[in-house]
Amino acid sequence: MRNRFVKAIVYFWKTNLRNMPSFDIASKLDLQLLDNAVNVAKKDILNRWDFRDSKSTIELNKKEMAINISTENEMRLGAIVDAIHSRMIKQGLDPRGLDESKAHYPSGPLIKKDIKARQGIDKEVSKKIMKDIKDSKLKVTAQIMDEIIRVSGKKIDDLQAVIAVCRKGNYEVPLQFINMK
């Protein structure tokens, strides 16, 4: 009798639980689109009249996923960052994906700033997302898996409601909903 019960549970698990619809919540920046945005912003900045005879440089370090900016003063630094943000928006990237928390620093006659691209969801943000999902009282299960969150449920409608809850949430990182199965 016990053996049949165990077999029934294993069969149920293999057929129903593994095949439950699911999706992943991630936060990634596409490196190619970021490279295009930085290159176009560089061309825009170098062609502006107020940047004539300027020693401003913008470089994307692809290995470290960081944008290195050097210029003469803070006004030009702000203009360069604004140009990068506007180009990112036109490329379809969210500027919240850049970590600008590190302050600029002087280097001789120039001011330098390093802006890192965020890849993945931080622990604090993922806990906030998990709390919002649990507070929504939907019948879904969410798991933190390194830098992504996997959400699974019995109904696709519940998963779509979770996506709507996450889009309404105010998180400091852009979210992508991928691998809908």
Side-chain angles (χ1 to χ4, degrees):
M1 178 77 175
R2 182 169 167 86
N3 195 14
R4 263 195 247 161
F5 181 70
V6 171
K7 286 183 179 179
I9 289 175
V10 169
Y11 175 75
F12 175 77
W13 183 80
K14 284 183 178 178
T15 56
N16 291 335
L17 293 179
R18 192 183 313 155
N19 296 330
M20 288 175 44
S22 67
F23 70 92
D24 296 335
I25 302 173
S27 177
K28 297 179 181 178
L29 282 179
D30 185 10
L31 184 62
Q32 186 62 44
L33 290 177
L34 183 62
D35 187 31
N36 290 345
V38 169
N39 287 336
V40 173
K42 187 188 307 184
K43 286 180 185 176
D44 288 348
I45 289 297
L46 295 178
N47 290 334
R48 283 175 48 168
W49 64 271
D50 56 342
F51 278 86
R52 295 264 187 242
D53 301 327
S54 173
K55 297 175 185 169
S56 301
T57 61
I58 307 169
E59 296 173 1
L60 176 65
N61 187 345
K62 292 182 181 179
K63 288 186 179 179
E64 295 179 11
M65 292 285 293
I67 301 170
N68 302 320
I69 303 170
S70 64
T71 188
E72 288 91 5
N73 55 33
E74 290 184 28
M75 182 202 68
R76 288 185 177 169
L77 181 67
I80 291 171
V81 171
D82 288 344
I84 291 172
H85 284 187
S86 67
R87 283 298 156 185
M88 285 180 68
I89 290 170
K90 288 181 182 178
Q91 291 284 337
L93 295 173
D94 196 340
R96 293 181 298 172
L98 297 178
D99 183 16
E100 298 180 34
S101 61
K102 189 175 178 184
H104 62 276
Y105 55 94
S107 174
L110 298 178
I111 295 175
K112 291 189 175 187
K113 183 170 180 96
D114 299 327
I115 302 173
K116 292 201 178 276
R118 293 181 183 154
Q119 294 289 66
I121 302 174
D122 296 338
K123 291 288 183 190
E124 302 88 34
V125 176
S126 61
K127 286 179 183 177
K128 188 175 177 185
I129 293 170
M130 294 283 287
K131 182 184 176 296
D132 289 347
I133 291 172
K134 287 182 182 178
D135 290 345
S136 69
K137 304 273 195 251
L138 294 169
K139 293 185 179 182
V140 295
T141 59
Q143 302 169 342
I144 298 174
M145 301 171 60
D146 291 333
E147 296 180 344
I148 63 170
I149 299 173
R150 173 151 299 155
V151 180
S152 59
K154 289 185 179 180
K155 297 179 183 176
I156 292 181
D157 294 338
D158 290 341
L159 298 180
Q160 291 173 341
V162 169
I163 291 173
V165 166
C166 290
R167 285 195 175 143
K168 286 181 185 175
N170 187 13
Y171 311 110
E172 56 265 11
V173 295
L175 299 177
Q176 290 92 28
F177 306 100
I178 55 175
N179 295 335
M180 183 74 142
K181 298 175 189 174

